[in-house]
Amino acid sequence: MSAPVDNKVAVLVLQHPQEQDRALGTAKLICSTLANARLVIGLSWRNLAHALKEPAEAKDWGVLYLGSAHAGGKGPLVAVTGKGEPIVDQDSALAGLKGLVVLDGNWAQAKALWWRNAWLTRLRRFVIVPDGPSLYGNLRREARPDAVSTLEAVGLALSALEGGDVRDRLLAPFRELLAKARAEGVRDAPKRDRRVRR
């Protein structure tokens, strides 16, 4: 395995407990590929410092928000207001950013994490604008055609923030995981609901 990517902007992955056993989940890959990344599993935390397990100021952090920006050709990372509209001065929105929180789970799980952690609303909000469909292809069904994996979103965000080859280095182990899954016929279908339907 190659040396971890020395990312300057920290990444904190908040993972919904039901996502942790997904065969094709990407949170662990993010944390094994990036030197400055942490994965925490749960539903709610008191604040950013509680989730990070170290002191942190909300003003220094951003969150990948669960919306699509009306970005009009901007991207791959767009700072948005609380209403999801792009901020006019994108450069100042990025200035001094020390870390990025990402929510890991399907759309319903990510929304649950968003609503259960009110402190996320105090962070700077960003959306990613993908430059193509997810590499998952037909291996994992996404809620929206423009949805990408957590790893792909982090790669896009860090490429905008730091440049360099961070995105390519993140995508390499993901491509390997997907190639192996395709070769073995693995699908990332959700667990079957065993409750009796009436």
Side-chain angles (χ1 to χ4, degrees):
M1 183 165 165
S2 57
V5 177
D6 186 21
N7 54 309
K8 313 278 182 289
V9 177
V11 174
L12 172 64
V13 181
L14 302 182
Q15 186 179 66
H16 192 283
Q18 292 175 346
E19 181 68 12
Q20 64 185 319
D21 58 356
R22 295 297 290 250
L24 297 178
T26 61
K28 288 180 182 170
L29 266 183
I30 293 167
C31 294
S32 64
T33 307
L34 298 178
N36 192 4
R38 178 174 291 166
L39 168 64
V40 293
I41 300 165
L43 291 173
S44 59
W45 298 266
R46 289 188 304 274
N47 52 38
L48 175 62
H50 181 229
L52 268 175
K53 298 178 180 65
E54 63 186 54
E57 294 287 336
K59 66 180 177 57
D60 298 329
W61 282 69
V63 60
L64 286 185
Y65 182 60
L66 305 171
S68 54
H70 311 292
K74 294 178 184 162
L77 185 69
V78 180
V80 295
T81 65
K83 293 183 178 178
E85 296 299 324
I87 291 173
V88 175
D89 188 353
Q90 290 288 312
D91 290 337
S92 68
L94 294 171
L97 189 69
K98 293 181 180 174
L100 200 56
V101 177
V102 293
L103 308 178
D104 186 54
N106 64 31
W107 282 96
Q109 293 164 354
K111 285 179 186 174
L113 289 170
W114 177 264
W115 291 113
R116 290 179 68 118
N117 294 280
W119 56 269
L120 289 170
T121 63
R122 293 197 293 277
L123 308 183
R124 305 179 209 182
R125 291 185 196 191
F126 297 96
V127 295
I128 56 138
V129 181
D131 53 2
S134 173
L135 294 178
Y136 272 133
N138 64 356
L139 290 179
R140 185 168 179 176
R141 197 171 67 224
E142 300 293 351
R144 301 184 335 201
D146 63 342
V148 294
S149 69
T150 305
L151 180 143
E152 290 167 296
V154 169
L156 280 165
L158 290 181
S159 70
L161 293 167
E162 300 187 9
D165 64 350
V166 65
R167 181 181 182 198
D168 292 336
R169 290 180 65 190
L170 260 174
L171 288 178
F174 185 44
R175 289 181 200 279
E176 289 173 20
L177 173 76
L178 297 178
K180 184 177 178 191
R182 286 187 175 98
E184 295 174 359
V186 173
R187 290 277 169 118
D188 201 32
K191 287 200 164 88
R192 197 174 295 157
D193 187 348
R194 298 190 185 282
R195 292 173 296 186
V196 176
R197 288 197 168 86
R198 297 175 192 232

